[in-house]
Amino acid sequence: MMPPIVILDRPQMGENIGAVARAMMNFGMRELRLVNPRDGWPNPKAHEMSANADVIIEAATVYEIFAEALADCHFVVAATARKRELDIPAYTPREAVGLLVEKSNEGQRVAIVLGGERAGLANDDIAHCQAICTIPTDPKNSSLNIAQSMVILGYEWWQAGIRDFGFGVTADQSPIPNPQPLLSTQAERQGLYDHLVQSLEKTNYFQHEGRAAVMQRNLRAMLAKLPLTSHQIQSLRGILRALSS
Amino acid sequence: MMPPIVILDRPQMGENIGAVARAMMNFGMRELRLVNPRDGWPNPKAHEMSANADVIIEAATVYEIFAEALADCHFVVAATARKRELDIPAYTPREAVGLLVEKSNEGQRVAIVLGGERAGLANDDIAHCQAICTIPTDPKNSSLNIAQSMVILGYEWWQAGIRDFGFGVTADQSPIPNPQPLLSTQAERQGLYDHLVQSLEKTNYFQHEGRAAVMQRNLRAMLAKLPLTSHQIQSLRGILRALSS
């Protein structure tokens, strides 16, 4: 399965191009195409922000005509605000990535278009695309730059890949993290409780008149509610031994 | 439901602090705390990258001590690579945000810690937190900066809000009342931890050669994971007083 090609339409700040490349590298994408970058190309500022994604920056190709940048693609998603006037289906990032996975898996060449930092993508350009992806944000503060959008789409791509194709599943980074710690048994809790009560009986803790039984019940209830592991019970008993010695 | 507080631990580039604030603004978060920003504070470069998030930058508060920045919080998630040596549960962003939503909905004060741009979060700082969030990436290119991490966590927060509470559909994020037993704050946990360590220092507990620091970190991590209420903290300190007298 080929990852999406990333196409930046009229990108402006070189730093943002670099940050896009960095996010691509993080999330398993490699091919970057630039349509009319404002400050020309190559651009040293793109290198500064690209971390170890120089390989992407150096291989990036430049186009003058938007349609040519996606000429060899089968399925292109444009990341942009919803365009009611265009009658192109709009998806969330998760949904859009689901489509990209599906199409790529069928052997289609897929791409993501980001761009128009100042004015957004032009309707004429969006009209080339098969789908729109709109990132949900606070409607009062909805402006995302291309690097932010790329991080979100990359993250969803990688998650979908882990889920569906096992990307990156190594010993160190499994998608489902927590091996469940061994929760203690009731017998272990009872051992801790007995140990605690015996330790406290040597002090003046229970010597409030007539309250010892209630205090012990409260201690037991507290221990019962805490999700203690076997290991934690051992640690707590070690502490008790030290404090009571 | 209160959105998470965002705590940046030893942030370096002002541009990244500004970009964090911008992402917070996009995704409905407002309160930013900085622990020892490298270049001091205020920092004009933070404003340059913050788009319309000046209100967050201007209200940001600065701390010298990490623990103080989260003293009033109940549930803190550290965004960091997995730490097998710490025995703190690790979650994906989606899972971690699910927990933040759940805890916030119970009335807990929740926070996200990002930081250590150069070296990552220190284990001693992570030990204060209740959970780790690890963003899945290509394991060969796993370095994300704080602004990228914030975009992903913010995006998941907003998505969860749309799904569960109708953010962006209704005008306001109305608080959902759901009083729960008073979970202890970090400051109360710190009080218990200090009390415990002081009590144990009077015994031979820490006298394994060279292991005292690790043992103390493990104690802190254990206390951080237990869902202790304020009342339970008081009870445990009463027990400590009795055992140490």
Side-chain angles (χ1 to χ4, degrees):
Chain A
M1 192 178 58
M2 290 278 288
I5 296 161
V6 175
I7 300 170
L8 303 184
D9 186 31
R10 292 171 295 140
Q12 300 193 336
M13 294 172 66
E15 295 88 335
N16 285 346
I17 302 173
V20 165
R22 176 179 179 159
M24 291 173 62
M25 202 78 187
N26 290 133
F27 298 117
M29 301 184 194
R30 291 294 180 270
E31 186 172 348
L32 178 63
R33 300 178 179 181
L34 308 172
V35 183
N36 289 321
R38 183 189 65 185
D39 301 331
W41 196 258
N43 180 340
K45 289 190 173 165
H47 280 276
E48 285 168 25
M49 278 297 287
S50 68
N52 60 346
D54 279 353
V55 57
I56 291 175
I57 295 289
E58 279 156 21
T61 50
V62 178
Y63 297 78
E64 289 187 8
I65 296 172
F66 180 77
E68 289 180 2
L70 37 82
D72 59 345
C73 301
H74 301 98
F75 186 81
V76 181
V77 173
T80 179
R82 196 175 290 263
K83 299 281 175 177
R84 295 196 182 279
E85 66 274 29
L86 275 185
D87 191 28
I88 289 182
Y91 299 97
T92 66
R94 202 163 299 165
E95 292 165 342
V97 163
L99 290 170
L100 291 167
V101 167
E102 177 190 320
K103 307 295 183 187
S104 178
N105 202 26
E106 291 170 2
Q108 296 188 32
R109 185 167 293 201
V110 299
I112 292 168
V113 175
L114 303 164
E117 272 161 280
R118 185 152 303 271
L121 290 169
N123 281 356
D124 285 348
D125 292 343
I126 297 170
H128 289 264
C129 302
Q130 279 65 50
I132 282 174
C133 171
T134 300
I135 296 171
T137 58
D138 183 343
K140 298 185 295 297
N141 299 286
S142 61
S143 161
L144 293 170
N145 70 27
I146 55 175
Q148 292 177 300
S149 300
M150 188 66 242
V151 165
I152 291 167
L153 288 162
Y155 162 72
E156 288 288 4
W157 171 259
W158 192 261
Q159 295 245 112
I162 287 175
R163 190 180 62 232
D164 299 343
F165 304 102
F167 292 175
V169 179
T170 67
D172 279 344
Q173 207 188 31
S174 60
I176 299 161
N178 301 313
Q180 283 302 314
L182 285 171
L183 201 72
S184 56
T185 62
Q186 291 288 350
E188 288 169 317
R189 282 170 194 269
Q190 180 69 39
L192 173 62
Y193 170 81
D194 289 342
H195 192 157
L196 179 59
V197 168
Q198 281 158 26
S199 302
L200 287 169
E201 277 172 344
K202 295 181 200 148
T203 75
N204 62 358
Y205 188 75
F206 292 127
Q207 289 168 10
H208 302 265
E209 61 291 340
R211 300 253 310 140
V214 171
M215 291 173 81
Q216 289 180 22
R217 192 175 65 204
N218 289 346
L219 283 181
R220 187 189 293 285
M222 178 172 73
L223 294 181
K225 277 186 291 188
L226 294 175
L228 294 163
T229 64
S230 295
H231 182 74
Q232 288 170 336
I233 296 252
Q234 286 167 29
S235 299
L236 290 170
R237 295 191 66 172
I239 289 170
L240 274 179
R241 268 192 301 280
L243 292 174
S244 303
S245 62
Chain B
M1 190 177 59
M2 291 277 289
I5 296 163
V6 175
I7 300 169
L8 303 184
D9 186 30
R10 292 171 294 139
Q12 301 194 335
M13 294 173 65
E15 294 88 335
N16 286 345
I17 301 173
V20 165
R22 176 180 178 158
M24 289 172 63
M25 201 78 186
N26 290 134
F27 298 117
M29 302 185 193
R30 291 296 179 271
E31 185 171 348
L32 178 63
R33 299 179 180 180
L34 309 172
V35 183
N36 288 321
R38 182 191 63 186
D39 301 332
W41 196 257
N43 180 340
K45 290 191 173 166
H47 280 275
E48 285 169 26
M49 278 298 286
S50 68
N52 60 347
D54 279 352
V55 58
I56 291 175
I57 294 291
E58 280 156 23
T61 49
V62 178
Y63 296 80
E64 288 188 7
I65 295 172
F66 179 76
E68 289 180 2
L70 35 83
D72 60 345
C73 299
H74 301 96
F75 186 80
V76 182
V77 173
T80 178
R82 261 177 106 173
K83 300 282 174 175
R84 291 191 184 279
E85 66 272 30
L86 274 188
D87 189 27
I88 289 183
Y91 299 96
T92 67
R94 202 161 301 163
E95 293 167 338
V97 163
L99 289 172
L100 290 168
V101 167
E102 177 190 321
K103 307 295 183 187
S104 177
N105 198 29
E106 291 171 1
Q108 297 188 32
R109 185 167 292 202
V110 300
I112 293 168
V113 174
L114 303 164
E117 272 161 278
R118 185 151 300 274
L121 289 169
N123 280 355
D124 284 346
D125 291 343
I126 297 170
H128 287 265
C129 301
Q130 279 67 49
I132 282 173
C133 172
T134 300
I135 297 171
T137 58
D138 183 344
K140 297 185 297 297
N141 299 287
S142 62
S143 161
L144 294 169
N145 71 27
I146 55 175
Q148 293 178 300
S149 299
M150 187 68 242
V151 165
I152 291 167
L153 287 163
Y155 162 72
E156 288 288 5
W157 171 259
W158 193 262
Q159 294 246 110
I162 288 175
R163 189 180 63 234
D164 298 342
F165 303 101
F167 291 180
V169 179
T170 62
D172 281 320
Q173 299 171 27
S174 58
I176 294 168
N178 193 358
Q180 290 280 314
L182 282 172
L183 199 73
S184 58
T185 63
Q186 293 283 354
E188 289 169 316
R189 284 168 194 270
Q190 179 72 39
L192 173 61
Y193 170 82
D194 289 343
H195 193 156
L196 178 59
V197 169
Q198 280 158 25
S199 302
L200 288 169
E201 277 171 346
K202 295 180 200 148
T203 75
N204 63 356
Y205 189 76
F206 293 127
Q207 288 168 10
H208 303 266
E209 62 291 336
R211 297 256 309 143
V214 170
M215 292 173 80
Q216 290 180 21
R217 194 174 68 202
N218 289 346
L219 283 181
R220 186 190 290 287
M222 179 172 73
L223 293 181
K225 276 186 297 185
L226 294 175
L228 294 164
T229 64
S230 295
H231 182 73
Q232 288 171 335
I233 296 252
Q234 285 168 29
S235 299
L236 290 170
R237 294 190 66 171
I239 290 170
L240 274 178
R241 267 192 301 279
L243 292 175
S244 302
S245 60

